[in-house]
Amino acid sequence: MKNEAQLPTHSLKDRSMPLMVLKALEQKRSAVGIVSSGNASASLAAYAAAAGLKAIIFLGKNVPNSKLFKSMIYNPIAIQVSGDYNAAEKSFQMARDEFGFFDCNGMVNPYRIEGKKTFSYEVARDLQWKAPQTVIMPTAYGNGIVATWKGFKELYDFGFIDSLPAIIAVQPLNCAPIARAFEAGLDNVPAIE
């Protein structure tokens, strides 16, 4: 069991957000932005504040107040769209294109995978440089699973571990597009409402 809630903002998103902020600083950006249901925005807002950058977070209307509060304590620019996550994503893209802030969304920014793969490095190190037989992890978009596989594969390719784990993605029944696509043998994950 690996408890990612022990990270600074109590979120697994802390694995990639410091790298997002570093890359934004390298590119001389003054602001970073993300669409989030809560955890990613809180993590990005925290690391942006520490680096002196402004965080711009886009949220759908259904974000719980507890998650919204986690973000707001770092004083980001928060834009709550009167729609779902997809509506927030569309608004984000228009604002990003117009204002040019650094896009920290997980499916478009490859540095998110690079930060998240450290999960695998820590697991292997904690197991005395052995891979676990199986990794079971919750997933939304699937970038955490991609990052976990990438991390273990790199360790394997460089000879730090001598086997690769099976990775099992877990999704809730009412929002399981990756699981359904896998079970149906599809090459792509259909969008869901």
Side-chain angles (χ1 to χ4, degrees):
M1 175 74 79
K2 186 149 182 60
N3 183 1
E4 295 291 83
Q6 296 177 349
L7 295 170
T9 70
H10 309 291
S11 168
L12 64 103
K13 307 300 182 177
D14 289 346
R15 291 196 172 276
S16 59
M17 292 309 166
L19 188 53
M20 295 297 92
V21 168
L22 175 63
K23 290 300 178 183
L25 290 170
E26 283 180 358
Q27 294 182 17
K28 310 250 187 276
R29 305 286 184 98
S30 59
V32 292
I34 199 163
V35 181
S36 175
S37 62
N39 287 325
S41 61
S43 183
L44 182 62
Y47 290 101
L53 297 176
K54 183 51 78 174
I56 304 165
I57 60 174
F58 282 73
L59 307 142
K61 68 179 177 186
N62 295 328
V63 173
N65 285 337
S66 60
K67 286 188 173 185
L68 187 58
F69 176 74
K70 278 177 59 173
S71 299
M72 298 312 294
I73 60 175
Y74 301 105
N75 199 28
I77 296 171
I79 300 157
Q80 194 160 20
V81 176
S82 63
D84 62 7
Y85 189 93
N86 291 332
E89 178 69 36
K90 288 177 185 165
S91 296
F92 171 88
Q93 289 170 355
M94 289 189 309
R96 177 203 60 209
D97 293 346
E98 182 163 342
F99 299 108
F101 49 80
F102 189 73
D103 187 337
C104 298
N105 285 310
M107 295 311 282
V108 298
N109 194 316
Y111 295 113
R112 288 286 299 276
I113 298 293
E114 294 304 308
K116 285 184 173 197
K117 74 182 181 187
T118 61
F119 170 87
S120 303
Y121 294 176
E122 286 183 14
V123 168
R125 180 203 62 204
D126 292 348
L127 296 174
Q128 284 76 50
W129 300 107
K130 294 192 182 337
Q133 195 171 31
T134 306
V135 175
I136 302 170
M137 62 188 322
T139 190
Y141 283 108
N143 53 353
I145 287 184
V146 169
T148 299
W149 176 256
K150 186 175 196 288
F152 281 119
K153 183 73 167 84
E154 289 174 355
L155 292 170
Y156 178 79
D157 288 346
F158 288 116
F160 285 97
I161 58 176
D162 58 10
S163 64
L164 292 167
I167 299 178
I168 299 172
V170 179
Q171 294 191 298
L173 279 176
N174 292 333
C175 186
I178 295 173
R180 288 189 188 123
F182 179 80
E183 289 167 355
L186 301 177
D187 291 334
N188 294 307
V189 178
I192 61 166
E193 293 295 322

